[in-house]
Amino acid sequence: MPEDFELPKVLNAKKDKNFSKWFHQILYLANIIDQRYDVKGCFVWLDYGYKIMLSIKRVWDRLFQKNGYREMYFPLLVPIHYCAQNDKWWAGFKNEAFWVKGGPEGKENYILRPTGEPAMYPMFKLWIRSYTDLPLKVYETVSSFRYETKHTIPLIRDREITVWHEMHTCHATKEEADRELKLQMAMWDKLWKECALWPLKVWKPKWECFPGAVGAVEYYSVMPDGRAMENGSCNNLGQAYAKKFDIKFRDRDGKEKYVWMTCTGNGARLLIAMIAMHGDNRGLVLPPNLAPIQLVIVPIYYKTNKNVVLTFARKIEKMLSRKFRVHLDDRPDKTPGSKFYDWELRGVPIRLEIGPRDVKEKQVIAVLRDTGDKIPLKLKNLKRDITGLLNSMQKRLLEKAKTFVQNSIEDVYELAKLKGLVQRKKIARVFWCGDGQCWDKIKAQEPGIELFGTDLKPAKKAGQCIACGKKTRTIGYVANTY
Ligand SMILES: [Zn+2]
């Protein structure tokens, strides 16, 4: 829990003025998490937040299983001798790991899983014998643990990384592994669309990839404060890990060969990006495809017509619940106004208001969460009309996210103009020759900024490296990152 954290009672922080305060308020008030749990970097998922997270998980389960990934579960405890098989990996993770000893007298023989590799790959070695065992495509959704020493931010930088989804694959050839990486990207793209989010996709700088890996594509979210947040990656591991963990197969030609591997993963950062991109000063705005409640019915009545309105509202609820995720808010002790407030805070896409006049007119009033538009809908075509409204809202939110990302990018051609990037809330697009010294020069222009990746496609026309002037077609992205 941040030291200056006060339990909020109402959402009063403004998103564009104080994003961080707004973010902390909304996480609690919208029932996403409670961060008062007394372990640094850990929090409690509350019911509503967990429901949204699980609706994201359902999409990745469907996508990855359809494409041949098998869901498994590997133990949380990882023996040190598994980790040590990849000495480079171990050198990097040793100090970030939670060490566990068995009992008060025991020695520290285990760590808590910081990533899946050291638990999975020794088992892959046992399972793979021949080319007929390939491809092997496995995934798990678990918690991972890192001993973060830096300032933690709930759901962005945690010590327990919850609902972490990671996939690992083994293939007979490099070509097959390359193809798998493209397939993974296509699946992530679909998931991002369901979240109504637009990614900035980049190649990760070589020196930040896993040692010995071929390369990695990283997904980034542009946040409302102008910072870039890493939000998933697809890693082409080549044969580096196969050699460390001795994962071999007998090929058709009778020869023993190392497998080619990929891995990819992401988790709650998708939810964070969704909250940050679409939320407003009244609360969350959830994309209809993932909202746990798509429609909330709020009856508006006086004592004299209570029964008529409620009966009509229940009829509407029954009629719609076969096709949509509907909730009828019939709490007797709450005013319609306070109900509006609650459901706006929780980002329910459409509110259906029903008053005595609507009963007579055989209609409901639909209020759209993102635009505030009020639209009367006749019962006759209600399901069709609501489907239309939800679909167009999903599209509108995606379009909004796309425009936001595109407008956040600024072409910069002189080093000095990288100054003030953070204040301008912009991401700079620059030409970069690929040289480490030039990378350092870019980083030195403003505290906190870095070139976090390069465009997946080289520029059609070459330009001059922003730092040294050398001709190049590589485009880099520079920002303050989370
Ligand atoms: Zn250069």
Side-chain angles (χ1 to χ4, degrees), residues 382-425:
L382 192 57
K383 279 190 230 167
R384 190 199 67 190
D385 289 347
I386 288 178
T387 304
L389 288 175
L390 290 171
N391 287 345
S392 59
M393 189 186 299
Q394 180 78 28
K395 275 193 203 128
R396 194 161 59 240
L397 292 177
L398 177 63
E399 206 49 44
K400 186 185 160 206
K402 183 180 174 185
T403 309
F404 177 79
V405 173
Q406 287 171 342
N407 289 346
S408 299
I409 296 169
E410 181 183 284
D411 288 312
V412 177
Y413 300 98
E414 291 164 51
L415 267 188
K417 297 223 164 119
L418 289 174
K419 287 198 173 68
L421 201 60
V422 179
Q423 286 91 318
R424 297 203 297 279
K425 298 184 178 178

mmCIF file of all heavy atoms in Angstrom, residues 382-425:
data_model
loop_
_atom_site.group_PDB
_atom_site.id
_atom_site.type_symbol
_atom_site.label_atom_id
_atom_site.label_comp_id
_atom_site.label_asym_id
_atom_site.label_seq_id
_atom_site.Cartn_x
_atom_site.Cartn_y
_atom_site.Cartn_z
ATOM 1 N N LEU A 382 -36.319 -4.635 -29.333
ATOM 2 C CA LEU A 382 -35.380 -4.320 -28.265
ATOM 3 C C LEU A 382 -34.050 -5.076 -28.381
ATOM 4 O O LEU A 382 -32.974 -4.474 -28.306
ATOM 5 C CB LEU A 382 -36.033 -4.603 -26.905
ATOM 6 C CG LEU A 382 -35.284 -4.048 -25.697
ATOM 7 C CD1 LEU A 382 -35.083 -2.546 -25.821
ATOM 8 C CD2 LEU A 382 -36.057 -4.344 -24.408
ATOM 9 N N LYS A 383 -34.127 -6.396 -28.579
ATOM 10 C CA LYS A 383 -32.881 -7.195 -28.614
ATOM 11 C C LYS A 383 -31.994 -6.763 -29.769
ATOM 12 O O LYS A 383 -30.787 -6.607 -29.615
ATOM 13 C CB LYS A 383 -33.220 -8.684 -28.728
ATOM 14 C CG LYS A 383 -33.597 -9.288 -27.378
ATOM 15 C CD LYS A 383 -33.688 -10.783 -27.478
ATOM 16 C CE LYS A 383 -35.001 -11.242 -26.879
ATOM 17 N NZ LYS A 383 -35.359 -12.606 -27.164
ATOM 18 N N ARG A 384 -32.638 -6.572 -30.907
ATOM 19 C CA ARG A 384 -31.879 -6.171 -32.093
ATOM 20 C C ARG A 384 -31.230 -4.799 -31.865
ATOM 21 O O ARG A 384 -30.051 -4.592 -32.157
ATOM 22 C CB ARG A 384 -32.815 -6.124 -33.306
ATOM 23 C CG ARG A 384 -32.115 -5.952 -34.633
ATOM 24 C CD ARG A 384 -33.074 -5.453 -35.693
ATOM 25 N NE ARG A 384 -33.516 -4.089 -35.381
ATOM 26 C CZ ARG A 384 -34.512 -3.462 -36.030
ATOM 27 N NH1 ARG A 384 -35.187 -4.087 -36.964
ATOM 28 N NH2 ARG A 384 -34.833 -2.221 -35.709
ATOM 29 N N ASP A 385 -32.002 -3.853 -31.324
ATOM 30 C CA ASP A 385 -31.483 -2.497 -31.118
ATOM 31 C C ASP A 385 -30.346 -2.470 -30.097
ATOM 32 O O ASP A 385 -29.348 -1.772 -30.286
ATOM 33 C CB ASP A 385 -32.604 -1.563 -30.643
ATOM 34 C CG ASP A 385 -33.603 -1.266 -31.756
ATOM 35 O OD1 ASP A 385 -33.278 -1.587 -32.920
ATOM 36 O OD2 ASP A 385 -34.694 -0.747 -31.467
ATOM 37 N N ILE A 386 -30.498 -3.259 -29.036
ATOM 38 C CA ILE A 386 -29.434 -3.283 -28.017
ATOM 39 C C ILE A 386 -28.161 -3.911 -28.579
ATOM 40 O O ILE A 386 -27.060 -3.426 -28.337
ATOM 41 C CB ILE A 386 -29.916 -4.011 -26.745
ATOM 42 C CG1 ILE A 386 -30.926 -3.107 -26.023
ATOM 43 C CG2 ILE A 386 -28.760 -4.333 -25.817
ATOM 44 C CD1 ILE A 386 -31.519 -3.682 -24.782
ATOM 45 N N THR A 387 -28.324 -4.985 -29.345
ATOM 46 C CA THR A 387 -27.153 -5.595 -29.990
ATOM 47 C C THR A 387 -26.416 -4.552 -30.820
ATOM 48 O O THR A 387 -25.187 -4.442 -30.767
ATOM 49 C CB THR A 387 -27.585 -6.777 -30.897
ATOM 50 O OG1 THR A 387 -28.330 -7.691 -30.100
ATOM 51 C CG2 THR A 387 -26.398 -7.489 -31.508
ATOM 52 N N GLY A 388 -27.185 -3.785 -31.571
ATOM 53 C CA GLY A 388 -26.597 -2.742 -32.408
ATOM 54 C C GLY A 388 -25.841 -1.700 -31.584
ATOM 55 O O GLY A 388 -24.725 -1.313 -31.917
ATOM 56 N N LEU A 389 -26.447 -1.268 -30.481
ATOM 57 C CA LEU A 389 -25.820 -0.249 -29.636
ATOM 58 C C LEU A 389 -24.528 -0.770 -29.002
ATOM 59 O O LEU A 389 -23.520 -0.063 -28.937
ATOM 60 C CB LEU A 389 -26.791 0.208 -28.535
ATOM 61 C CG LEU A 389 -27.974 1.070 -28.975
ATOM 62 C CD1 LEU A 389 -28.904 1.334 -27.795
ATOM 63 C CD2 LEU A 389 -27.496 2.391 -29.574
ATOM 64 N N LEU A 390 -24.564 -2.034 -28.519
ATOM 65 C CA LEU A 390 -23.366 -2.607 -27.894
ATOM 66 C C LEU A 390 -22.238 -2.761 -28.917
ATOM 67 O O LEU A 390 -21.088 -2.436 -28.641
ATOM 68 C CB LEU A 390 -23.687 -3.964 -27.246
ATOM 69 C CG LEU A 390 -24.575 -3.938 -25.995
ATOM 70 C CD1 LEU A 390 -24.980 -5.353 -25.595
ATOM 71 C CD2 LEU A 390 -23.873 -3.245 -24.825
ATOM 72 N N ASN A 391 -22.599 -3.258 -30.096
ATOM 73 C CA ASN A 391 -21.576 -3.436 -31.128
ATOM 74 C C ASN A 391 -20.959 -2.108 -31.542
ATOM 75 O O ASN A 391 -19.740 -2.011 -31.730
ATOM 76 C CB ASN A 391 -22.164 -4.128 -32.371
ATOM 77 C CG ASN A 391 -22.434 -5.595 -32.106
ATOM 78 O OD1 ASN A 391 -21.937 -6.159 -31.125
ATOM 79 N ND2 ASN A 391 -23.239 -6.214 -32.958
ATOM 80 N N SER A 392 -21.797 -1.087 -31.687
ATOM 81 C CA SER A 392 -21.214 0.188 -32.130
ATOM 82 C C SER A 392 -20.397 0.825 -31.011
ATOM 83 O O SER A 392 -19.402 1.497 -31.282
ATOM 84 C CB SER A 392 -22.267 1.131 -32.708
ATOM 85 O OG SER A 392 -23.252 1.390 -31.755
ATOM 86 N N MET A 393 -20.761 0.571 -29.752
ATOM 87 C CA MET A 393 -19.937 1.095 -28.657
ATOM 88 C C MET A 393 -18.562 0.407 -28.636
ATOM 89 O O MET A 393 -17.531 1.054 -28.461
ATOM 90 C CB MET A 393 -20.632 0.900 -27.302
ATOM 91 C CG MET A 393 -19.921 1.619 -26.164
ATOM 92 S SD MET A 393 -20.609 1.293 -24.525
ATOM 93 C CE MET A 393 -22.261 1.903 -24.709
ATOM 94 N N GLN A 394 -18.570 -0.904 -28.832
ATOM 95 C CA GLN A 394 -17.302 -1.648 -28.870
ATOM 96 C C GLN A 394 -16.392 -1.059 -29.959
ATOM 97 O O GLN A 394 -15.215 -0.805 -29.732
ATOM 98 C CB GLN A 394 -17.608 -3.133 -29.148
ATOM 99 C CG GLN A 394 -16.380 -4.039 -29.221
ATOM 100 C CD GLN A 394 -15.807 -4.398 -27.854
ATOM 101 O OE1 GLN A 394 -16.509 -4.438 -26.860
ATOM 102 N NE2 GLN A 394 -14.496 -4.637 -27.801
ATOM 103 N N LYS A 395 -16.955 -0.810 -31.127
ATOM 104 C CA LYS A 395 -16.185 -0.249 -32.247
ATOM 105 C C LYS A 395 -15.712 1.161 -31.932
ATOM 106 O O LYS A 395 -14.577 1.537 -32.241
ATOM 107 C CB LYS A 395 -17.047 -0.217 -33.511
ATOM 108 C CG LYS A 395 -17.033 -1.522 -34.260
ATOM 109 C CD LYS A 395 -17.643 -1.351 -35.664
ATOM 110 C CE LYS A 395 -18.139 -2.686 -36.177
ATOM 111 N NZ LYS A 395 -19.524 -2.677 -36.647
ATOM 112 N N ARG A 396 -16.598 1.947 -31.344
ATOM 113 C CA ARG A 396 -16.279 3.345 -31.030
ATOM 114 C C ARG A 396 -15.115 3.430 -30.024
ATOM 115 O O ARG A 396 -14.210 4.233 -30.174
ATOM 116 C CB ARG A 396 -17.539 4.008 -30.457
ATOM 117 C CG ARG A 396 -17.523 5.502 -30.370
ATOM 118 C CD ARG A 396 -18.938 6.067 -30.246
ATOM 119 N NE ARG A 396 -19.652 5.562 -29.080
ATOM 120 C CZ ARG A 396 -20.791 4.887 -29.129
ATOM 121 N NH1 ARG A 396 -21.366 4.627 -30.292
ATOM 122 N NH2 ARG A 396 -21.384 4.459 -28.022
ATOM 123 N N LEU A 397 -15.142 2.536 -29.028
ATOM 124 C CA LEU A 397 -14.076 2.556 -28.023
ATOM 125 C C LEU A 397 -12.739 2.153 -28.648
ATOM 126 O O LEU A 397 -11.695 2.739 -28.355
ATOM 127 C CB LEU A 397 -14.415 1.632 -26.847
ATOM 128 C CG LEU A 397 -15.593 2.057 -25.962
ATOM 129 C CD1 LEU A 397 -15.863 1.020 -24.882
ATOM 130 C CD2 LEU A 397 -15.356 3.421 -25.324
ATOM 131 N N LEU A 398 -12.786 1.149 -29.518
ATOM 132 C CA LEU A 398 -11.555 0.715 -30.186
ATOM 133 C C LEU A 398 -10.990 1.855 -31.037
ATOM 134 O O LEU A 398 -9.789 2.135 -31.037
ATOM 135 C CB LEU A 398 -11.836 -0.519 -31.052
ATOM 136 C CG LEU A 398 -10.657 -1.044 -31.866
ATOM 137 C CD1 LEU A 398 -9.521 -1.525 -30.947
ATOM 138 C CD2 LEU A 398 -11.083 -2.202 -32.780
ATOM 139 N N GLU A 399 -11.881 2.521 -31.757
ATOM 140 C CA GLU A 399 -11.481 3.638 -32.613
ATOM 141 C C GLU A 399 -10.863 4.772 -31.785
ATOM 142 O O GLU A 399 -9.857 5.368 -32.158
ATOM 143 C CB GLU A 399 -12.725 4.131 -33.368
ATOM 144 C CG GLU A 399 -12.470 4.818 -34.687
ATOM 145 C CD GLU A 399 -11.525 4.047 -35.607
ATOM 146 O OE1 GLU A 399 -11.665 2.798 -35.752
ATOM 147 O OE2 GLU A 399 -10.622 4.699 -36.150
ATOM 148 N N LYS A 400 -11.465 5.011 -30.622
ATOM 149 C CA LYS A 400 -10.972 6.049 -29.718
ATOM 150 C C LYS A 400 -9.539 5.714 -29.257
ATOM 151 O O LYS A 400 -8.664 6.577 -29.226
ATOM 152 C CB LYS A 400 -11.920 6.136 -28.510
ATOM 153 C CG LYS A 400 -11.613 7.266 -27.560
ATOM 154 C CD LYS A 400 -12.520 7.193 -26.333
ATOM 155 C CE LYS A 400 -11.883 7.983 -25.196
ATOM 156 N NZ LYS A 400 -12.297 7.512 -23.880
ATOM 157 N N ALA A 401 -9.347 4.428 -28.916
ATOM 158 C CA ALA A 401 -8.023 3.994 -28.456
ATOM 159 C C ALA A 401 -6.993 4.145 -29.564
ATOM 160 O O ALA A 401 -5.871 4.612 -29.335
ATOM 161 C CB ALA A 401 -8.090 2.546 -27.984
ATOM 162 N N LYS A 402 -7.386 3.784 -30.772
ATOM 163 C CA LYS A 402 -6.476 3.884 -31.915
ATOM 164 C C LYS A 402 -6.073 5.335 -32.151
ATOM 165 O O LYS A 402 -4.889 5.659 -32.317
ATOM 166 C CB LYS A 402 -7.165 3.305 -33.158
ATOM 167 C CG LYS A 402 -6.313 3.291 -34.395
ATOM 168 C CD LYS A 402 -7.093 2.709 -35.562
ATOM 169 C CE LYS A 402 -6.309 2.829 -36.850
ATOM 170 N NZ LYS A 402 -7.098 2.371 -37.996
ATOM 171 N N THR A 403 -7.064 6.217 -32.174
ATOM 172 C CA THR A 403 -6.799 7.642 -32.394
ATOM 173 C C THR A 403 -5.905 8.199 -31.291
ATOM 174 O O THR A 403 -4.969 8.958 -31.564
ATOM 175 C CB THR A 403 -8.132 8.433 -32.403
ATOM 176 O OG1 THR A 403 -9.012 7.789 -33.307
ATOM 177 C CG2 THR A 403 -7.928 9.871 -32.811
ATOM 178 N N PHE A 404 -6.163 7.780 -30.057
ATOM 179 C CA PHE A 404 -5.360 8.265 -28.941
ATOM 180 C C PHE A 404 -3.884 7.882 -29.113
ATOM 181 O O PHE A 404 -2.985 8.714 -28.955
ATOM 182 C CB PHE A 404 -5.896 7.719 -27.611
ATOM 183 C CG PHE A 404 -5.065 8.117 -26.433
ATOM 184 C CD1 PHE A 404 -5.190 9.387 -25.880
ATOM 185 C CD2 PHE A 404 -4.124 7.243 -25.887
ATOM 186 C CE1 PHE A 404 -4.395 9.776 -24.805
ATOM 187 C CE2 PHE A 404 -3.331 7.615 -24.813
ATOM 188 C CZ PHE A 404 -3.467 8.895 -24.269
ATOM 189 N N VAL A 405 -3.649 6.621 -29.476
ATOM 190 C CA VAL A 405 -2.261 6.161 -29.643
ATOM 191 C C VAL A 405 -1.603 6.924 -30.794
ATOM 192 O O VAL A 405 -0.485 7.430 -30.665
ATOM 193 C CB VAL A 405 -2.207 4.628 -29.884
ATOM 194 C CG1 VAL A 405 -0.803 4.172 -30.231
ATOM 195 C CG2 VAL A 405 -2.718 3.886 -28.645
ATOM 196 N N GLN A 406 -2.326 7.027 -31.909
ATOM 197 C CA GLN A 406 -1.744 7.725 -33.071
ATOM 198 C C GLN A 406 -1.448 9.190 -32.754
ATOM 199 O O GLN A 406 -0.411 9.717 -33.161
ATOM 200 C CB GLN A 406 -2.683 7.601 -34.270
ATOM 201 C CG GLN A 406 -2.647 6.186 -34.843
ATOM 202 C CD GLN A 406 -3.712 5.938 -35.894
ATOM 203 O OE1 GLN A 406 -4.699 6.680 -35.986
ATOM 204 N NE2 GLN A 406 -3.547 4.886 -36.673
ATOM 205 N N ASN A 407 -2.334 9.841 -32.013
ATOM 206 C CA ASN A 407 -2.121 11.251 -31.683
ATOM 207 C C ASN A 407 -1.037 11.463 -30.632
ATOM 208 O O ASN A 407 -0.567 12.579 -30.446
ATOM 209 C CB ASN A 407 -3.418 11.897 -31.190
ATOM 210 C CG ASN A 407 -4.422 12.068 -32.308
ATOM 211 O OD1 ASN A 407 -4.077 11.948 -33.484
ATOM 212 N ND2 ASN A 407 -5.667 12.317 -31.962
ATOM 213 N N SER A 408 -0.692 10.390 -29.919
ATOM 214 C CA SER A 408 0.339 10.515 -28.888
ATOM 215 C C SER A 408 1.748 10.462 -29.475
ATOM 216 O O SER A 408 2.719 10.740 -28.789
ATOM 217 C CB SER A 408 0.210 9.385 -27.860
ATOM 218 O OG SER A 408 -1.041 9.449 -27.240
ATOM 219 N N ILE A 409 1.833 10.045 -30.737
ATOM 220 C CA ILE A 409 3.157 9.877 -31.345
ATOM 221 C C ILE A 409 3.574 11.148 -32.081
ATOM 222 O O ILE A 409 2.795 11.712 -32.851
ATOM 223 C CB ILE A 409 3.163 8.660 -32.294
ATOM 224 C CG1 ILE A 409 2.917 7.396 -31.457
ATOM 225 C CG2 ILE A 409 4.474 8.552 -33.052
ATOM 226 C CD1 ILE A 409 2.647 6.161 -32.264
ATOM 227 N N GLU A 410 4.798 11.572 -31.804
ATOM 228 C CA GLU A 410 5.301 12.828 -32.373
ATOM 229 C C GLU A 410 6.631 12.513 -33.069
ATOM 230 O O GLU A 410 7.500 11.884 -32.460
ATOM 231 C CB GLU A 410 5.507 13.788 -31.191
ATOM 232 C CG GLU A 410 6.007 15.151 -31.510
ATOM 233 C CD GLU A 410 6.225 15.964 -30.217
ATOM 234 O OE1 GLU A 410 5.241 16.436 -29.624
ATOM 235 O OE2 GLU A 410 7.386 16.097 -29.801
ATOM 236 N N ASP A 411 6.774 12.917 -34.310
ATOM 237 C CA ASP A 411 8.053 12.713 -35.009
ATOM 238 C C ASP A 411 9.061 13.745 -34.524
ATOM 239 O O ASP A 411 8.785 14.935 -34.540
ATOM 240 C CB ASP A 411 7.856 12.842 -36.519
ATOM 241 C CG ASP A 411 7.109 11.645 -37.073
ATOM 242 O OD1 ASP A 411 7.501 10.505 -36.738
ATOM 243 O OD2 ASP A 411 6.121 11.833 -37.806
ATOM 244 N N VAL A 412 10.223 13.269 -34.098
ATOM 245 C CA VAL A 412 11.261 14.180 -33.597
ATOM 246 C C VAL A 412 12.547 13.922 -34.381
ATOM 247 O O VAL A 412 12.951 12.776 -34.567
ATOM 248 C CB VAL A 412 11.481 13.969 -32.076
ATOM 249 C CG1 VAL A 412 12.613 14.854 -31.568
ATOM 250 C CG2 VAL A 412 10.203 14.254 -31.293
ATOM 251 N N TYR A 413 13.174 15.003 -34.852
ATOM 252 C CA TYR A 413 14.363 14.860 -35.693
ATOM 253 C C TYR A 413 15.634 15.417 -35.054
ATOM 254 O O TYR A 413 16.712 15.238 -35.579
ATOM 255 C CB TYR A 413 14.124 15.522 -37.056
ATOM 256 C CG TYR A 413 12.961 14.905 -37.799
ATOM 257 C CD1 TYR A 413 11.700 15.490 -37.769
ATOM 258 C CD2 TYR A 413 13.125 13.708 -38.501
ATOM 259 C CE1 TYR A 413 10.624 14.912 -38.425
ATOM 260 C CE2 TYR A 413 12.064 13.114 -39.166
ATOM 261 C CZ TYR A 413 10.799 13.726 -39.122
ATOM 262 O OH TYR A 413 9.735 13.143 -39.756
ATOM 263 N N GLU A 414 15.486 16.164 -33.934
ATOM 264 C CA GLU A 414 16.674 16.713 -33.267
ATOM 265 C C GLU A 414 16.693 16.253 -31.816
ATOM 266 O O GLU A 414 15.656 16.284 -31.142
ATOM 267 C CB GLU A 414 16.619 18.246 -33.261
ATOM 268 C CG GLU A 414 16.793 18.886 -34.614
ATOM 269 C CD GLU A 414 16.340 20.352 -34.567
ATOM 270 O OE1 GLU A 414 16.809 21.075 -33.663
ATOM 271 O OE2 GLU A 414 15.507 20.734 -35.400
ATOM 272 N N LEU A 415 17.889 15.890 -31.364
ATOM 273 C CA LEU A 415 18.037 15.404 -29.984
ATOM 274 C C LEU A 415 17.422 16.353 -28.958
ATOM 275 O O LEU A 415 16.720 15.936 -28.048
ATOM 276 C CB LEU A 415 19.526 15.238 -29.649
ATOM 277 C CG LEU A 415 20.159 13.870 -29.873
ATOM 278 C CD1 LEU A 415 21.560 13.858 -29.304
ATOM 279 C CD2 LEU A 415 19.337 12.746 -29.251
ATOM 280 N N ALA A 416 17.715 17.654 -29.141
ATOM 281 C CA ALA A 416 17.277 18.650 -28.150
ATOM 282 C C ALA A 416 15.758 18.666 -28.002
ATOM 283 O O ALA A 416 15.240 18.989 -26.944
ATOM 284 C CB ALA A 416 17.779 20.029 -28.538
ATOM 285 N N LYS A 417 15.050 18.269 -29.088
ATOM 286 C CA LYS A 417 13.586 18.318 -29.034
ATOM 287 C C LYS A 417 12.982 17.159 -28.242
ATOM 288 O O LYS A 417 11.772 17.087 -28.057
ATOM 289 C CB LYS A 417 13.015 18.365 -30.448
ATOM 290 C CG LYS A 417 13.443 19.623 -31.191
ATOM 291 C CD LYS A 417 12.295 20.246 -31.962
ATOM 292 C CE LYS A 417 12.633 21.675 -32.357
ATOM 293 N NZ LYS A 417 12.641 21.908 -33.788
ATOM 294 N N LEU A 418 13.853 16.243 -27.778
ATOM 295 C CA LEU A 418 13.342 15.176 -26.904
ATOM 296 C C LEU A 418 13.081 15.719 -25.503
ATOM 297 O O LEU A 418 12.405 15.091 -24.693
ATOM 298 C CB LEU A 418 14.342 14.017 -26.832
ATOM 299 C CG LEU A 418 14.476 13.169 -28.096
ATOM 300 C CD1 LEU A 418 15.600 12.165 -27.949
ATOM 301 C CD2 LEU A 418 13.169 12.441 -28.394
ATOM 302 N N LYS A 419 13.655 16.895 -25.246
ATOM 303 C CA LYS A 419 13.398 17.529 -23.937
ATOM 304 C C LYS A 419 11.932 17.949 -23.863
ATOM 305 O O LYS A 419 11.352 18.394 -24.835
ATOM 306 C CB LYS A 419 14.294 18.761 -23.772
ATOM 307 C CG LYS A 419 15.738 18.390 -23.517
ATOM 308 C CD LYS A 419 16.528 19.542 -22.934
ATOM 309 C CE LYS A 419 17.912 19.075 -22.547
ATOM 310 N NZ LYS A 419 18.736 18.713 -23.726
ATOM 311 N N GLY A 420 11.355 17.781 -22.696
ATOM 312 C CA GLY A 420 9.948 18.179 -22.528
ATOM 313 C C GLY A 420 8.959 17.142 -23.009
ATOM 314 O O GLY A 420 7.749 17.362 -22.961
ATOM 315 N N LEU A 421 9.457 16.002 -23.469
ATOM 316 C CA LEU A 421 8.588 14.926 -23.980
ATOM 317 C C LEU A 421 7.574 14.503 -22.918
ATOM 318 O O LEU A 421 6.392 14.317 -23.202
ATOM 319 C CB LEU A 421 9.484 13.735 -24.355
ATOM 320 C CG LEU A 421 8.949 12.699 -25.318
ATOM 321 C CD1 LEU A 421 8.598 13.324 -26.646
ATOM 322 C CD2 LEU A 421 9.964 11.584 -25.512
ATOM 323 N N VAL A 422 8.058 14.360 -21.695
ATOM 324 C CA VAL A 422 7.200 13.895 -20.597
ATOM 325 C C VAL A 422 6.101 14.920 -20.302
ATOM 326 O O VAL A 422 4.935 14.557 -20.159
ATOM 327 C CB VAL A 422 8.051 13.603 -19.345
ATOM 328 C CG1 VAL A 422 7.178 13.144 -18.188
ATOM 329 C CG2 VAL A 422 9.105 12.545 -19.666
ATOM 330 N N GLN A 423 6.491 16.198 -20.259
ATOM 331 C CA GLN A 423 5.484 17.251 -20.004
ATOM 332 C C GLN A 423 4.466 17.315 -21.140
ATOM 333 O O GLN A 423 3.291 17.562 -20.924
ATOM 334 C CB GLN A 423 6.128 18.635 -19.849
ATOM 335 C CG GLN A 423 6.851 18.848 -18.535
ATOM 336 C CD GLN A 423 8.324 18.458 -18.648
ATOM 337 O OE1 GLN A 423 8.651 17.434 -19.256
ATOM 338 N NE2 GLN A 423 9.201 19.250 -18.088
ATOM 339 N N ARG A 424 4.948 17.101 -22.370
ATOM 340 C CA ARG A 424 4.031 17.161 -23.521
ATOM 341 C C ARG A 424 3.150 15.916 -23.607
ATOM 342 O O ARG A 424 2.276 15.825 -24.442
ATOM 343 C CB ARG A 424 4.836 17.308 -24.828
ATOM 344 C CG ARG A 424 5.645 18.579 -24.956
ATOM 345 C CD ARG A 424 5.950 18.920 -26.424
ATOM 346 N NE ARG A 424 6.768 17.934 -27.116
ATOM 347 C CZ ARG A 424 8.106 17.846 -27.022
ATOM 348 N NH1 ARG A 424 8.771 18.677 -26.248
ATOM 349 N NH2 ARG A 424 8.768 16.939 -27.701
ATOM 350 N N LYS A 425 3.420 14.907 -22.752
ATOM 351 C CA LYS A 425 2.708 13.628 -22.755
ATOM 352 C C LYS A 425 2.750 12.964 -24.131
ATOM 353 O O LYS A 425 1.738 12.505 -24.657
ATOM 354 C CB LYS A 425 1.249 13.812 -22.313
ATOM 355 C CG LYS A 425 1.093 14.337 -20.891
ATOM 356 C CD LYS A 425 -0.370 14.391 -20.500
ATOM 357 C CE LYS A 425 -0.529 14.876 -19.071
ATOM 358 N NZ LYS A 425 -1.925 14.997 -18.661
#
